[in-house]
mmCIF file of all heavy atoms in Angstrom:
data_model
loop_
_atom_site.group_PDB
_atom_site.id
_atom_site.type_symbol
_atom_site.label_atom_id
_atom_site.label_comp_id
_atom_site.label_asym_id
_atom_site.label_seq_id
_atom_site.Cartn_x
_atom_site.Cartn_y
_atom_site.Cartn_z
ATOM 1 N N GLY A 894 0.835 -1.198 0.000
ATOM 2 C CA GLY A 894 0.000 0.000 0.000
ATOM 3 C C GLY A 894 0.862 1.238 0.000
ATOM 4 O O GLY A 894 0.495 2.282 -0.523
ATOM 5 N N TRP A 895 2.037 1.153 0.686
ATOM 6 C CA TRP A 895 3.126 2.118 0.600
ATOM 7 C C TRP A 895 2.739 3.578 0.875
ATOM 8 O O TRP A 895 3.099 4.489 0.115
ATOM 9 C CB TRP A 895 3.812 1.996 -0.778
ATOM 10 C CG TRP A 895 4.211 0.578 -1.067
ATOM 11 C CD1 TRP A 895 5.275 -0.099 -0.547
ATOM 12 C CD2 TRP A 895 3.517 -0.354 -1.910
ATOM 13 N NE1 TRP A 895 5.288 -1.386 -1.011
ATOM 14 C CE2 TRP A 895 4.240 -1.572 -1.869
ATOM 15 C CE3 TRP A 895 2.374 -0.270 -2.709
ATOM 16 C CZ2 TRP A 895 3.833 -2.706 -2.572
ATOM 17 C CZ3 TRP A 895 1.980 -1.394 -3.423
ATOM 18 C CH2 TRP A 895 2.703 -2.593 -3.359
ATOM 19 N N PRO A 896 2.057 3.868 1.999
ATOM 20 C CA PRO A 896 1.783 5.270 2.323
ATOM 21 C C PRO A 896 3.045 6.005 2.763
ATOM 22 O O PRO A 896 3.919 5.420 3.410
ATOM 23 C CB PRO A 896 0.786 5.164 3.482
ATOM 24 C CG PRO A 896 1.088 3.841 4.127
ATOM 25 C CD PRO A 896 1.492 2.935 2.998
ATOM 26 N N THR A 897 3.129 7.263 2.408
ATOM 27 C CA THR A 897 4.151 8.157 2.939
ATOM 28 C C THR A 897 3.458 9.072 3.934
ATOM 29 O O THR A 897 2.596 9.868 3.559
ATOM 30 C CB THR A 897 4.811 8.985 1.816
ATOM 31 O OG1 THR A 897 5.470 8.082 0.909
ATOM 32 C CG2 THR A 897 5.823 9.959 2.385
ATOM 33 N N ASP A 898 3.796 8.934 5.218
ATOM 34 C CA ASP A 898 3.036 9.606 6.269
ATOM 35 C C ASP A 898 3.989 9.960 7.408
ATOM 36 O O ASP A 898 4.231 9.161 8.319
ATOM 37 C CB ASP A 898 1.910 8.683 6.761
ATOM 38 C CG ASP A 898 0.921 9.382 7.683
ATOM 39 O OD1 ASP A 898 1.338 10.297 8.409
ATOM 40 O OD2 ASP A 898 -0.265 9.000 7.679
ATOM 41 N N ASP A 899 4.547 11.157 7.355
ATOM 42 C CA ASP A 899 5.484 11.591 8.389
ATOM 43 C C ASP A 899 4.798 11.728 9.751
ATOM 44 O O ASP A 899 5.441 11.540 10.793
ATOM 45 C CB ASP A 899 6.117 12.928 7.999
ATOM 46 C CG ASP A 899 7.014 12.809 6.772
ATOM 47 O OD1 ASP A 899 7.466 11.675 6.480
ATOM 48 O OD2 ASP A 899 7.241 13.834 6.106
ATOM 49 N N THR A 900 3.509 12.042 9.734
ATOM 50 C CA THR A 900 2.790 12.231 11.004
ATOM 51 C C THR A 900 2.709 10.936 11.791
ATOM 52 O O THR A 900 2.942 10.917 13.011
ATOM 53 C CB THR A 900 1.374 12.768 10.742
ATOM 54 O OG1 THR A 900 1.480 14.030 10.070
ATOM 55 C CG2 THR A 900 0.618 12.965 12.050
ATOM 56 N N ILE A 901 2.405 9.831 11.124
ATOM 57 C CA ILE A 901 2.302 8.568 11.852
ATOM 58 C C ILE A 901 3.667 8.141 12.384
ATOM 59 O O ILE A 901 3.780 7.576 13.483
ATOM 60 C CB ILE A 901 1.660 7.456 10.980
ATOM 61 C CG1 ILE A 901 1.188 6.301 11.869
ATOM 62 C CG2 ILE A 901 2.619 6.938 9.922
ATOM 63 C CD1 ILE A 901 0.052 6.621 12.779
ATOM 64 N N GLU A 902 4.733 8.452 11.653
ATOM 65 C CA GLU A 902 6.071 8.120 12.134
ATOM 66 C C GLU A 902 6.425 8.950 13.376
ATOM 67 O O GLU A 902 7.022 8.438 14.324
ATOM 68 C CB GLU A 902 7.106 8.345 11.033
ATOM 69 C CG GLU A 902 6.990 7.381 9.863
ATOM 70 C CD GLU A 902 7.154 5.929 10.286
ATOM 71 O OE1 GLU A 902 8.119 5.629 11.026
ATOM 72 O OE2 GLU A 902 6.316 5.083 9.895
ATOM 73 N N GLN A 903 6.008 10.220 13.391
ATOM 74 C CA GLN A 903 6.264 11.061 14.571
ATOM 75 C C GLN A 903 5.436 10.592 15.752
ATOM 76 O O GLN A 903 5.918 10.571 16.897
ATOM 77 C CB GLN A 903 5.963 12.526 14.253
ATOM 78 C CG GLN A 903 6.243 13.469 15.419
ATOM 79 C CD GLN A 903 7.681 13.409 15.891
ATOM 80 O OE1 GLN A 903 8.606 13.568 15.101
ATOM 81 N NE2 GLN A 903 7.885 13.157 17.190
ATOM 82 N N LEU A 904 4.197 10.205 15.502
ATOM 83 C CA LEU A 904 3.349 9.716 16.598
ATOM 84 C C LEU A 904 3.926 8.443 17.206
ATOM 85 O O LEU A 904 3.855 8.240 18.428
ATOM 86 C CB LEU A 904 1.929 9.480 16.086
ATOM 87 C CG LEU A 904 1.093 10.733 15.831
ATOM 88 C CD1 LEU A 904 -0.211 10.374 15.113
ATOM 89 C CD2 LEU A 904 0.788 11.453 17.146
ATOM 90 N N LYS A 905 4.499 7.579 16.387
ATOM 91 C CA LYS A 905 5.128 6.377 16.941
ATOM 92 C C LYS A 905 6.351 6.739 17.781
ATOM 93 O O LYS A 905 6.608 6.120 18.825
ATOM 94 C CB LYS A 905 5.490 5.406 15.817
ATOM 95 C CG LYS A 905 4.277 4.746 15.176
ATOM 96 C CD LYS A 905 4.654 3.611 14.239
ATOM 97 C CE LYS A 905 5.403 4.074 13.028
ATOM 98 N NZ LYS A 905 5.714 2.963 12.086
ATOM 99 N N ALA A 906 7.094 7.749 17.337
ATOM 100 C CA ALA A 906 8.226 8.228 18.142
ATOM 101 C C ALA A 906 7.725 8.789 19.475
ATOM 102 O O ALA A 906 8.351 8.580 20.529
ATOM 103 C CB ALA A 906 9.010 9.290 17.370
ATOM 104 N N ASP A 907 6.604 9.499 19.452
ATOM 105 C CA ASP A 907 6.011 10.021 20.693
ATOM 106 C C ASP A 907 5.586 8.877 21.610
ATOM 107 O O ASP A 907 5.725 8.964 22.838
ATOM 108 C CB ASP A 907 4.795 10.887 20.371
ATOM 109 C CG ASP A 907 5.147 12.155 19.613
ATOM 110 O OD1 ASP A 907 6.340 12.518 19.577
ATOM 111 O OD2 ASP A 907 4.226 12.759 19.025
ATOM 112 N N TYR A 908 5.086 7.806 21.015
ATOM 113 C CA TYR A 908 4.674 6.641 21.810
ATOM 114 C C TYR A 908 5.893 6.022 22.500
ATOM 115 O O TYR A 908 5.839 5.670 23.690
ATOM 116 C CB TYR A 908 3.996 5.613 20.914
ATOM 117 C CG TYR A 908 3.609 4.337 21.625
ATOM 118 C CD1 TYR A 908 2.429 4.245 22.339
ATOM 119 C CD2 TYR A 908 4.457 3.221 21.584
ATOM 120 C CE1 TYR A 908 2.077 3.076 23.009
ATOM 121 C CE2 TYR A 908 4.120 2.047 22.245
ATOM 122 C CZ TYR A 908 2.930 1.981 22.953
ATOM 123 O OH TYR A 908 2.607 0.819 23.618
ATOM 124 N N ILE A 909 6.996 5.892 21.764
ATOM 125 C CA ILE A 909 8.208 5.322 22.339
ATOM 126 C C ILE A 909 8.711 6.183 23.491
ATOM 127 O O ILE A 909 9.196 5.678 24.510
ATOM 128 C CB ILE A 909 9.290 5.182 21.252
ATOM 129 C CG1 ILE A 909 8.867 4.117 20.225
ATOM 130 C CG2 ILE A 909 10.636 4.824 21.854
ATOM 131 C CD1 ILE A 909 9.701 4.120 18.970
ATOM 132 N N ALA A 910 8.575 7.503 23.352
ATOM 133 C CA ALA A 910 9.078 8.433 24.368
ATOM 134 C C ALA A 910 8.119 8.617 25.541
ATOM 135 O O ALA A 910 8.486 9.240 26.541
ATOM 136 C CB ALA A 910 9.356 9.793 23.722
ATOM 137 N N ALA A 911 6.913 8.085 25.443
ATOM 138 C CA ALA A 911 5.913 8.268 26.498
ATOM 139 C C ALA A 911 6.417 7.712 27.823
ATOM 140 O O ALA A 911 7.014 6.631 27.875
ATOM 141 C CB ALA A 911 4.606 7.596 26.108
ATOM 142 N N ALA A 912 6.161 8.459 28.902
ATOM 143 C CA ALA A 912 6.765 8.130 30.196
ATOM 144 C C ALA A 912 6.073 6.998 30.930
ATOM 145 O O ALA A 912 6.682 6.335 31.778
ATOM 146 C CB ALA A 912 6.776 9.379 31.076
ATOM 147 N N ASP A 913 4.792 6.773 30.646
ATOM 148 C CA ASP A 913 4.051 5.762 31.410
ATOM 149 C C ASP A 913 2.864 5.277 30.570
ATOM 150 O O ASP A 913 2.586 5.832 29.488
ATOM 151 C CB ASP A 913 3.567 6.346 32.738
ATOM 152 C CG ASP A 913 2.786 7.645 32.578
ATOM 153 O OD1 ASP A 913 1.897 7.711 31.690
ATOM 154 O OD2 ASP A 913 3.061 8.601 33.315
ATOM 155 N N PRO A 914 2.153 4.243 31.039
ATOM 156 C CA PRO A 914 1.022 3.714 30.266
ATOM 157 C C PRO A 914 -0.054 4.739 29.945
ATOM 158 O O PRO A 914 -0.659 4.684 28.865
ATOM 159 C CB PRO A 914 0.490 2.586 31.158
ATOM 160 C CG PRO A 914 1.683 2.134 31.934
ATOM 161 C CD PRO A 914 2.471 3.366 32.200
ATOM 162 N N GLU A 915 -0.292 5.666 30.834
ATOM 163 C CA GLU A 915 -1.306 6.687 30.557
ATOM 164 C C GLU A 915 -0.882 7.586 29.405
ATOM 165 O O GLU A 915 -1.689 7.948 28.546
ATOM 166 C CB GLU A 915 -1.577 7.516 31.824
ATOM 167 C CG GLU A 915 -2.437 6.810 32.848
ATOM 168 C CD GLU A 915 -3.777 6.365 32.278
ATOM 169 O OE1 GLU A 915 -4.460 7.199 31.651
ATOM 170 O OE2 GLU A 915 -4.129 5.183 32.443
ATOM 171 N N ALA A 916 0.393 7.943 29.399
ATOM 172 C CA ALA A 916 0.906 8.766 28.301
ATOM 173 C C ALA A 916 0.880 7.982 26.992
ATOM 174 O O ALA A 916 0.561 8.529 25.932
ATOM 175 C CB ALA A 916 2.324 9.237 28.622
ATOM 176 N N GLN A 917 1.193 6.691 27.053
ATOM 177 C CA GLN A 917 1.116 5.850 25.862
ATOM 178 C C GLN A 917 -0.316 5.780 25.344
ATOM 179 O O GLN A 917 -0.551 5.836 24.129
ATOM 180 C CB GLN A 917 1.631 4.446 26.172
ATOM 181 C CG GLN A 917 3.127 4.355 26.383
ATOM 182 C CD GLN A 917 3.578 2.941 26.673
ATOM 183 O OE1 GLN A 917 2.833 2.131 27.219
ATOM 184 N NE2 GLN A 917 4.816 2.638 26.326
ATOM 185 N N LYS A 918 -1.256 5.659 26.247
ATOM 186 C CA LYS A 918 -2.665 5.590 25.846
ATOM 187 C C LYS A 918 -3.104 6.874 25.155
ATOM 188 O O LYS A 918 -3.852 6.841 24.165
ATOM 189 C CB LYS A 918 -3.546 5.312 27.062
ATOM 190 C CG LYS A 918 -4.995 5.023 26.719
ATOM 191 C CD LYS A 918 -5.771 4.573 27.943
ATOM 192 C CE LYS A 918 -7.215 4.238 27.572
ATOM 193 N NZ LYS A 918 -7.988 3.775 28.757
ATOM 194 N N ALA A 919 -2.637 8.022 25.659
ATOM 195 C CA ALA A 919 -2.983 9.304 25.035
ATOM 196 C C ALA A 919 -2.431 9.383 23.614
ATOM 197 O O ALA A 919 -3.111 9.853 22.693
ATOM 198 C CB ALA A 919 -2.447 10.458 25.886
ATOM 199 N N VAL A 920 -1.208 8.898 23.417
ATOM 200 C CA VAL A 920 -0.640 8.884 22.068
ATOM 201 C C VAL A 920 -1.391 7.883 21.194
ATOM 202 O O VAL A 920 -1.653 8.138 20.009
ATOM 203 C CB VAL A 920 0.864 8.544 22.107
ATOM 204 C CG1 VAL A 920 1.423 8.484 20.683
ATOM 205 C CG2 VAL A 920 1.626 9.560 22.924
ATOM 206 N N GLY A 921 -1.762 6.745 21.793
ATOM 207 C CA GLY A 921 -2.531 5.748 21.048
ATOM 208 C C GLY A 921 -3.834 6.305 20.507
ATOM 209 O O GLY A 921 -4.258 5.964 19.400
ATOM 210 N N GLU A 922 -4.465 7.170 21.281
ATOM 211 C CA GLU A 922 -5.700 7.824 20.837
ATOM 212 C C GLU A 922 -5.439 8.695 19.604
ATOM 213 O O GLU A 922 -6.223 8.707 18.650
ATOM 214 C CB GLU A 922 -6.258 8.680 21.976
ATOM 215 C CG GLU A 922 -7.583 9.339 21.686
ATOM 216 C CD GLU A 922 -8.770 8.445 22.023
ATOM 217 O OE1 GLU A 922 -8.588 7.481 22.767
ATOM 218 O OE2 GLU A 922 -9.864 8.728 21.517
ATOM 219 N N LYS A 923 -4.318 9.407 19.609
ATOM 220 C CA LYS A 923 -3.966 10.244 18.455
ATOM 221 C C LYS A 923 -3.638 9.387 17.232
ATOM 222 O O LYS A 923 -3.979 9.758 16.104
ATOM 223 C CB LYS A 923 -2.768 11.131 18.811
ATOM 224 C CG LYS A 923 -3.060 12.180 19.891
ATOM 225 C CD LYS A 923 -1.804 12.984 20.201
ATOM 226 C CE LYS A 923 -2.066 14.006 21.297
ATOM 227 N NZ LYS A 923 -0.826 14.769 21.632
#
């Protein structure tokens, strides 16, 4: 399908950097 999507790559980086499960959940919502 090969999407080019810089936003989803940044959101995954935000998920990795999330400090705790609640922060991960907030990024997951985005």
Side-chain angles (χ1 to χ4, degrees):
W895 308 284
T897 298
D898 190 328
D899 294 339
T900 300
I901 197 67
E902 292 300 312
Q903 182 58 54
L904 286 171
K905 289 190 294 183
D907 294 345
Y908 176 83
I909 292 167
D913 53 46
E915 283 304 310
Q917 289 181 332
K918 188 172 182 179
V920 178
E922 184 87 18
K923 294 178 181 178

